[in-house]
Amino acid sequence: MKTLIFATNNSHKLQEVNTMLDGLVTVRSLKEMGLDGDIPETADTLEGNALQKATWVWERCHQDCFADDTGLEVEALGGRPGVYSARYAGEHCSFDDNVNKMLREMEGQSNRKACFRTVVCLIEQGVPRYFEGRVDGQILTERYGEQGFGYDPIFMPDRFAVSFAEMPLEVKNRISHRGRAIAQLVEYLKQQY
Ligand code: IMP
């Protein structure tokens, strides 16, 4: 089975992606590869950051790898925080800080439309290829649920009455931004064999 290194230190992402790629490729984490250190994410687009993260791994291992980058785009905030979603509340902020800031900024706002967008960059033999996924929904007025990570407790996808943090992982994976981008990666990989 083909092995791909996933350029992330986020254990939630690793679990989500492992579930989707199970049986098709062996996914190795950075930790398993003995790679540590902060991967740079200094581009101003999701594509740029995904490429930067995957390239960081490629340059160190010369093994096929992929990385993802996600942005939460909120209509009433003019698309913010977008590519800056991880550092929305400041340089070394926590998921909680970001959620608190979002709840504050959206206080009293009636337009709560938002979307998550993910770009996955796969590097095979040094050549990058991109896959994209998107999910539309609403920013909730308070936190709901304990599962997942990041903005999950305050994001409710369209056609659902619960937040991402209230969903079983299989349901989130089926409809989420990253789930949809990874589904495209799966389709591509299946065509390869
Ligand atoms: P990253 O660049 O993909 O690590 O994600 C940027 C920001 O979006 C981080 O603060 C993450 O917490 C958040 N994020 C990414 N994916 C998700 C998700 O599936 N649910 C909630 N928040 C997410």
Side-chain angles (χ1 to χ4, degrees):
M1 203 157 33
K2 186 182 172 81
T3 296
L4 290 177
I5 306 168
F6 183 19
T8 189
N9 288 311
N10 179 327
S11 59
H12 294 278
K13 280 189 185 178
L14 212 89
Q15 194 194 352
E16 285 183 11
V17 164
N18 254 322
T19 312
M20 293 192 72
L21 294 181
D22 192 30
L24 184 62
V25 292
T26 305
V27 178
R28 293 252 176 272
S29 66
L30 294 180
K31 208 165 157 192
E32 285 173 285
M33 299 304 297
L35 290 172
D36 55 13
D38 271 345
I39 311 182
E41 269 186 65
T42 54
D44 56 8
T45 59
L46 298 178
E47 290 77 7
N49 274 337
L51 174 66
Q52 198 176 23
K53 290 189 250 186
T55 302
W56 187 91
V57 173
W58 173 260
E59 283 173 348
R60 280 157 185 79
C61 306
H62 290 277
Q63 285 191 44
D64 292 350
C65 56
F66 66 100
D68 75 317
D69 200 59
T70 295
L72 175 62
E73 297 170 1
V74 180
E75 198 172 277
L77 302 180
R80 280 192 300 119
V83 71
Y84 305 108
S85 297
R87 287 162 282 156
Y88 176 46
E91 205 48 50
H92 298 291
C93 63
S94 65
F95 289 152
D96 243 18
D97 297 335
N98 283 336
V99 167
N100 287 336
K101 179 167 179 188
M102 180 60 69
L103 289 174
R104 245 188 351 262
E105 271 213 272
M106 291 296 284
E107 219 169 272
Q109 179 58 250
S110 55
N111 176 7
R112 308 197 67 90
K113 283 188 200 160
C115 77
F116 271 115
R117 236 166 31 88
T118 292
V119 173
V120 166
C121 175
L122 168 72
I123 297 188
E124 274 180 318
Q125 319 269 301
V127 180
R129 200 171 253 107
Y130 298 90
F131 305 90
E132 192 174 328
R134 173 192 172 122
V135 60
D136 289 284
Q138 305 272 328
I139 300 296
L140 296 165
T141 53
E142 56 184 285
R143 289 174 169 79
Y144 291 91
E146 303 291 330
Q147 314 204 52
F149 68 98
Y151 298 92
D152 278 349
I154 56 165
F155 184 84
M156 181 173 72
D158 288 348
R159 290 177 291 282
F160 284 79
V162 291
S163 78
F164 266 165
E166 294 177 290
M167 289 180 178
L169 187 60
E170 314 81 75
V171 181
K172 182 184 172 194
N173 271 350
R174 213 168 54 229
I175 60 161
S176 83
H177 44 301
R178 191 166 27 262
R180 287 176 172 156
I182 296 291
Q184 288 187 42
L185 170 66
V186 166
E187 277 315 301
Y188 169 78
L189 292 171
K190 279 183 177 163
Q191 284 167 20
Q192 304 285 95
Y193 316 128

